[in-house]
Coordinates of all heavy atoms in Angstrom, one line a residue:
P45 N -48.3 -9.8 -51.7 CA -49.6 -9.2 -51.3 C -49.4 -8.4 -50.0 O -50.3 -7.5 -49.7 CB -50.5 -10.4 -51.0 CG -49.6 -11.6 -51.1 CD -48.3 -11.2 -51.6
R61 N -43.5 5.4 -65.4 CA -44.9 5.4 -65.0 C -45.7 4.4 -65.9 O -46.6 3.7 -65.5 CB -45.5 6.8 -65.3 CG -44.9 7.8 -64.2 CD -44.9 9.3 -64.7 NE -46.3 9.8 -64.8 CZ -46.6 10.9 -65.4 NH1 -45.7 11.6 -66.1 NH2 -47.9 11.2 -65.4
S77 N -42.5 20.9 -61.2 CA -42.6 21.6 -62.3 C -43.9 21.2 -63.1 O -44.0 20.1 -63.6 CB -41.4 21.4 -63.3 OG -41.8 21.8 -64.6
H99 N -49.1 14.4 -58.9 CA -48.9 15.4 -57.8 C -48.0 16.5 -58.1 O -46.9 16.2 -58.5 CB -48.5 14.6 -56.4 CG -49.2 13.3 -56.2 ND1 -50.3 13.2 -55.4 CD2 -49.0 12.1 -56.7 CE1 -50.8 12.1 -55.2 NE2 -50.0 11.3 -56.0
W103 N -40.4 17.2 -53.6 CA -40.1 15.9 -52.8 C -39.7 16.2 -51.4 O -39.9 15.3 -50.5 CB -38.9 15.3 -53.5 CG -39.0 15.0 -55.0 CD1 -40.1 14.8 -55.7 CD2 -37.9 15.1 -55.9 NE1 -39.8 14.7 -57.0 CE2 -38.5 14.8 -57.3 CE3 -36.6 15.3 -55.9 CZ2 -37.8 14.8 -58.4 CZ3 -35.7 15.3 -57.0 CH2 -36.5 15.0 -58.3
A165 N -9.9 18.5 -72.3 CA -10.9 18.8 -73.2 C -10.4 18.4 -74.6 O -11.1 17.9 -75.5 CB -11.3 20.3 -73.1
D181 N -21.2 10.1 -74.7 CA -20.1 10.2 -73.8 C -19.3 11.6 -73.7 O -18.9 12.0 -72.8 CB -19.1 9.0 -74.1 CG -19.5 7.7 -73.4 OD1 -20.1 7.8 -72.4 OD2 -19.1 6.7 -74.0
K192 N -14.3 19.2 -63.6 CA -14.5 18.7 -62.2 C -13.8 19.5 -61.2 O -14.4 20.0 -60.2 CB -14.3 17.2 -62.0 CG -14.6 16.6 -60.6 CD -14.4 15.2 -60.6 CE -14.5 14.6 -59.2 NZ -14.2 13.1 -59.1
Y196 N -16.8 21.2 -58.9 CA -17.2 20.2 -57.9 C -16.5 20.5 -56.6 O -15.2 20.7 -56.5 CB -16.7 18.7 -58.4 CG -17.2 17.6 -57.4 CD1 -18.6 17.5 -57.1 CD2 -16.3 16.9 -56.7 CE1 -19.0 16.4 -56.2 CE2 -16.7 15.9 -55.9 CZ -18.0 15.6 -55.7 OH -18.4 14.7 -54.8
V207 N -21.3 26.4 -63.8 CA -19.9 26.5 -64.1 C -19.5 25.6 -65.4 O -18.9 26.1 -66.3 CB -19.0 26.1 -62.9 CG1 -17.6 25.9 -63.3 CG2 -19.2 27.1 -61.8
M249 N -25.3 6.9 -46.9 CA -26.3 7.8 -46.6 C -27.7 7.2 -46.6 O -28.6 7.4 -45.8 CB -26.2 9.0 -47.7 CG -27.3 10.2 -47.5 SD -28.9 9.8 -48.2 CE -28.4 10.1 -50.0
R256 N -31.3 -1.3 -47.1 CA -30.2 -2.3 -47.4 C -29.9 -2.3 -48.9 O -30.9 -2.4 -49.6 CB -30.6 -3.5 -46.8 CG -29.8 -4.7 -46.9 CD -30.3 -6.0 -46.5 NE -31.3 -6.5 -47.4 CZ -32.6 -6.6 -47.2 NH1 -33.2 -6.1 -46.1 NH2 -33.5 -7.1 -48.3
A276 N -30.4 -0.4 -56.2 CA -31.7 -0.7 -55.7 C -31.5 -1.1 -54.2 O -30.6 -1.9 -53.8 CB -32.2 -1.9 -56.4

Side-chain angles (χ1 to χ4, degrees):
R61 294 159 65 199
S77 160
H99 310 268
W103 305 326
D181 274 334
K192 187 175 172 188
Y196 183 61
V207 169
M249 181 273 290
R256 179 186 75 249

